[in-house]
Amino acid sequence: MHVHWHGSHIEVWTPAKLNLFLELLAKRQDGYHELETLMVPITLYDTLYFRDEARGQIGITCELAAGCSEQTALAAEALPEGTDNSALKAVRLVRERTGHQRGCQLHLVKRIPLAAGLAGGSSDAAAALVAANLGWQLGLSQAELMSLAGELGSDVPFFLSQQAAVCRGRGERVAPFGPLGSLHFVVARPPAGLSTADVYRASRVAEQRRSVEPLASALRGGDLVTVGRLLHNQLQTPAEELSPWIRRLDREFARHDLLGHQMSGSGTSYFGLARHARQARRVAAAIQARGVGSVYAVRTCR
Ligand code: C5P
């Protein structure tokens, strides 16, 4: 996440994430799943602008970034401009909990595809928490922000940690991973998305649960071949039952000499781990030409 002050407003660049590993450990009484996931922030960003409003009103406008591909533009109909916008919910929650009286005008430039398993909405919410804390000069601690983030959604705390992390609980317990070299990915978002709740509903807890440790240790050692082999997402099988795009993308990615590939989060985005930036760009162009949606060559955020 990159934060810039411009006198009267704050600009926050907030990234998407990929799940290199996601295992379901148990189904909980509250309907959520206990999980273990390793997430990395990637260089695909939404931009949130925050302007303080002395009269106390809160509002948001949204636009699709210039240059977004046709398939993403189709999702423009679903631009999250309404009252359930995650950034709007975040600033409302901050005001409610702090009793703060001022308002704000938010403007969101969307690049991260929606319903994609890339946590764009959660990232926007985290950006809004950071912007409100700065813009309203509230002085909330990181622990206080993390707690608000956990209320807003399972993935929101991860974005406040601003680095790769292993997340547990329903995702809100974040253990930062520490320094990580650049990893290069190809990410494809097919023309149709999936609802996170639908995918979890169709999922099941594995009998033989995998641990994140072998993958984490390969990552620490910079052994990308092993990282590619150990990629895992327990939500991929249920997502394949709900969207034909997952198997289609699996076939498309398998045509290339990538280190590994799988779905991210609850889908429908699919990604491959490339050997280097050049390969990521080459494979992204080849997959884009196959008409499977929006395709990006990205790397982990520094
Ligand atoms: O927390 P968030 O709002 O992102 O979750 C969206 C939905 O995904 C939840 O309502 C729940 O159905 C499902 N979910 C789950 N277990 C998790 C995270 C999300 O079942 N750990």
Side-chain angles (χ1 to χ4, degrees):
M1 195 183 286
H2 307 286
V3 184
H4 310 274
W5 281 85
H6 299 282
S8 65
H9 70 271
I10 296 165
E11 176 182 345
V12 186
W13 286 69
T14 195
K17 59 84 175 158
L18 294 175
N19 300 78
L20 304 191
F21 181 93
L22 193 162
E23 184 64 297
L24 301 181
L25 304 181
K27 179 142 199 241
R28 306 191 335 188
Q29 296 290 344
D30 62 4
Y32 280 90
H33 290 76
E34 211 49 35
L35 51 79
E36 185 170 61
T37 184
L38 195 156
M39 301 201 275
V40 295
I42 54 166
T43 55
L44 174 61
Y45 296 95
D46 282 348
T47 315
L48 181 75
Y49 298 89
F50 175 103
R51 190 186 298 276
D52 181 37
E53 253 302 335
R55 282 167 301 168
Q57 279 141 341
I58 291 183
I60 188 162
T61 51
C62 247
E63 74 180 280
L64 203 65
C68 269
S69 65
E70 205 181 308
Q71 284 78 11
T72 315
L74 289 175
E77 294 158 22
L79 265 181
E81 211 160 35
T83 47
D84 65 341
N85 176 283
S86 59
L88 204 56
K89 280 187 185 161
V91 291
R92 288 219 175 93
L93 182 68
V94 170
R95 233 179 35 167
E96 191 186 304
R97 291 303 156 79
T98 59
H100 191 71
Q101 300 294 317
R102 293 176 80 93
C104 64
Q105 183 58 39
L106 301 175
H107 181 66
L108 184 57
V109 180
K110 286 296 295 176
R111 291 180 201 82
I112 306 173
L114 306 165
L118 301 173
S122 300
S123 189
D124 299 342
L129 287 178
V130 169
N133 192 31
L134 288 173
W136 289 335
Q137 299 178 14
L138 299 171
L140 296 173
S141 67
Q142 179 75 357
E144 286 168 316
L145 289 175
M146 285 297 243
S147 162
L148 293 174
E151 284 186 51
L152 288 163
S154 309
D155 285 341
V156 183
F158 163 76
F159 289 102
L160 290 180
S161 80
Q162 306 208 31
Q163 57 178 301
V166 174
C167 302
R168 299 192 176 85
R170 59 183 171 84
E172 87 288 11
R173 278 179 16 225
V174 181
F177 190 78
L180 190 71
S182 281
L183 302 180
H184 297 274
F185 300 100
V186 181
V187 182
R189 160 58 157 86
L194 275 174
S195 133
T196 302
D198 287 351
V199 177
Y200 272 100
R201 206 173 300 118
S203 71
R204 63 182 182 83
V205 174
E207 279 164 26
Q208 296 269 312
R209 282 184 228 146
R210 294 200 209 176
S211 157
V212 72
E213 240 347 282
L215 180 120
S217 137
L219 258 184
R220 276 191 206 97
D223 178 0
L224 294 190
V225 172
T226 304
V227 170
R229 193 168 46 77
L230 293 176
L231 293 177
H232 170 64
N233 186 347
Q234 182 70 8
L235 294 176
Q236 183 159 334
T237 305
E240 281 171 359
E241 303 305 319
L242 296 171
S243 169
W245 280 106
I246 311 305
R247 286 201 182 101
R248 165 88 197 270
L249 287 167
D250 178 44
R251 288 195 298 275
E252 292 295 341
F253 277 72
R255 293 155 57 97
H256 300 277
D257 180 32
L258 295 161
L259 294 171
H261 52 91
Q262 70 175 16
M263 189 181 82
S264 180
S266 56
T268 48
S269 287
Y270 200 94
F271 70 93
L273 175 61
R275 292 163 194 277
H276 41 70
R278 206 160 13 92
Q279 188 196 27
R281 285 194 298 272
R282 183 162 40 76
V283 173
I287 292 180
Q288 179 83 71
R290 302 275 300 168
V292 294
S294 311
V295 187
Y296 312 84
V298 299
R299 61 167 170 74
T300 42
C301 300
R302 291 202 180 96

